[in-house]
Amino acid sequence: FASYCGIDIDPEMMGWLQDHNPDPRMDFHLVPFQNELYHPEGEQMTGESQLPVGDNTYDVIMMFSVVTHLAPHDTRALFAILRRYLKPDGFLFFSTFVNPIMEDPYSEGDPDKPLWMSIYQEAFLFDLLDETGWVCEHYAEPVGQMIQHQMLCRPTDDPNPPRPACRPGTPAY
């Protein structure tokens, strides 16, 4: 790989990675964004928020266990932010909890633990992608217990991009 940039809201983890990184091709950055579960004292994230990477753009952006812990307004903001940091021919890959048949657009998997398991109605998640300039190229079911539904997306200017169907056998949460 030519370079790797890791970004997170956890100051302890990012500090350790910054202090123990022997590879000059790798950078690690802390973002100040608020998250009720992991960083309640942080700054509210908006679509105009900046990442601490300057003008850098990336070929691939991957998020594991990020959207699974975001409320819809933060997911919308993050998709808008990431759109600015991806090269035009790049890809966004992320995991998420999706329930294709639930009626509400969003649900907490455990109401006693907000953002522990953020579950999105399938159509609503596609709406968030559409609103922020993404088209989903591939949509796949969970892999075991560790990786939930997966979406591989690319930037688009199409206001109504096509929506792929998930593979058969997708469980409903």
Side-chain angles (χ1 to χ4, degrees):
F1 66 94
S3 66
Y4 174 88
C5 178
I7 297 174
D8 203 281
I9 61 174
D10 183 327
E12 184 177 340
M13 178 176 57
M14 288 293 102
W16 190 93
L17 288 167
Q18 289 166 344
D19 292 344
H20 295 87
N21 175 22
D23 192 329
R25 299 174 299 169
M26 298 175 76
D27 288 319
F28 298 97
H29 301 278
L30 182 67
V31 290
F33 303 139
Q34 187 267 348
N35 177 280
E36 286 301 320
L37 181 62
Y38 293 109
H39 195 230
E41 69 283 354
E43 297 174 16
Q44 181 65 44
M45 183 171 31
T46 71
E48 292 77 37
S49 295
Q50 299 292 313
L51 298 178
V53 298
D55 293 334
N56 290 341
T57 57
Y58 300 92
D59 296 313
V60 177
I61 295 174
M62 296 189 305
M63 296 188 296
F64 291 92
S65 198
V66 175
V67 175
T68 57
H69 302 292
L70 293 179
H73 66 277
D74 286 331
T75 297
R76 179 182 288 111
L78 186 56
F79 287 161
I81 293 165
L82 295 178
R83 178 74 165 74
R84 296 193 318 269
Y85 290 94
L86 191 73
K87 292 180 180 175
D89 59 346
F91 286 95
L92 168 66
F93 176 86
F94 66 96
S95 63
T96 185
F97 293 110
V98 175
N99 181 328
I101 61 171
M102 81 179 182
E103 292 187 25
D104 294 326
Y106 173 82
S107 175
E108 293 284 350
D110 185 343
D112 294 330
K113 295 180 184 177
L115 301 180
W116 181 250
M117 181 187 232
S118 297
I119 303 172
Y120 288 85
Q121 177 199 57
E122 183 176 88
F124 178 64
L125 188 59
F126 277 113
D127 288 346
L128 294 177
L129 289 166
D130 292 352
E131 291 169 21
T132 53
W134 297 96
V135 60
C136 183
E137 294 279 318
H138 183 73
Y139 173 36
E141 65 188 29
V143 177
Q145 297 278 327
M146 295 304 295
I147 300 177
Q148 295 308 315
H149 287 82
Q150 307 123 65
M151 295 192 155
L152 180 66
C153 304
R154 64 176 171 79
T156 185
D157 293 324
D158 184 345
N160 296 301
R163 296 180 175 189
C166 191
R167 294 184 295 178
T170 301
Y173 292 97

